[in-house]
Amino acid sequence: MSDDLPHFMREPLWRRLRTRLFHLWFVLRRPMTFGVRGVVYDEAANAVFLIRHTYVPGWQLPGGGVEAGETAYEALARELEEEGNIVLDGTPALLKSLHFNRNVSRRDHVALYLVKSYRQTSPKTPDMEIAEAGFFSLDSLPDETSPATRRRLAEIFEGKPADAYW
């Protein structure tokens, strides 16, 4: 396909359909959604942990939906463990930003945490959900890093104002 097409249009049709079906299932299952994302930051390397899902294009911050009966903190801890083998060693900072994720649905919001106290029990290997994962220097993020991820990182590390939209 042509390089001048938007990234999501360069994805194979089956992958785009799978993504849409996943989101439809998610919206039907939970009409109102609340999620968490974690900026796992390695200060010594000036690097952040990013994941690439099997069903959504681009590199993103790890995280996911808050389950019924679960706190946002518990959801963050669970998602970091599932998506990166990352265990929280301290309390992450809930940043002064809550974002409306209109790309997912008209009812999705995401809370953003900054995680500086953690340990990774082992490198994340690919599975059914996560195609790739790893730490990347803030100076050399992967080309396919999602625009929302780039905006959140600029807000945290460059002092840009927080955008209300994910």
Side-chain angles (χ1 to χ4, degrees):
M1 293 190 177
S2 174
D3 283 341
D4 55 344
L5 290 174
H7 172 71
F8 72 92
M9 295 288 291
R10 287 184 251 147
E11 290 290 322
L13 179 60
W14 68 269
R15 183 170 281 168
R16 287 185 287 161
L17 288 173
R18 180 178 66 175
T19 299
R20 291 280 185 205
L21 287 172
F22 172 78
H23 287 298
L24 177 62
W25 171 81
F26 195 76
V27 167
L28 291 174
R29 188 168 166 249
R30 291 186 204 144
M32 181 60 116
T33 59
F34 178 61
V36 293
R37 295 278 178 145
V39 177
V40 180
Y41 181 54
D42 179 339
E43 287 185 87
N46 194 34
V48 293
F49 186 77
L50 300 176
I51 59 163
R52 192 173 64 77
H53 284 106
T54 58
Y55 53 86
V56 178
W59 288 88
Q60 303 173 22
L61 298 168
V66 178
E67 301 290 338
E70 186 176 53
T71 67
Y73 174 83
E74 290 168 339
L76 178 67
R78 176 181 49 76
E79 290 290 345
L80 291 178
E81 178 114 23
E82 289 173 3
E83 295 183 353
N85 296 330
I86 292 173
V87 177
L88 296 173
D89 281 340
T91 304
L94 175 60
L95 300 178
K96 295 178 187 175
S97 60
L98 184 64
H99 306 273
F100 174 39
N101 192 358
R102 61 186 171 191
N103 295 326
V104 170
S105 82
R106 294 183 350 206
R107 300 172 181 250
D108 187 56
H109 289 80
V110 179
L112 188 63
Y113 287 86
L114 179 59
V115 178
K116 291 185 176 181
S117 183
Y118 64 90
R119 60 190 154 82
Q120 189 174 35
T121 58
S122 63
K124 176 65 178 170
T125 55
D127 59 28
M128 294 291 289
E129 182 184 8
I130 305 300
E132 294 180 86
F135 282 90
F136 296 90
S137 168
L138 287 170
D139 298 330
S140 59
L141 297 173
D143 290 337
E144 309 260 324
T145 301
S146 75
T149 297
R150 288 183 185 276
R151 285 193 303 273
R152 299 300 78 81
L153 295 176
E155 291 164 5
I156 296 166
F157 299 107
E158 297 171 22
K160 302 266 172 133
D163 190 336
Y165 297 97
W166 185 255

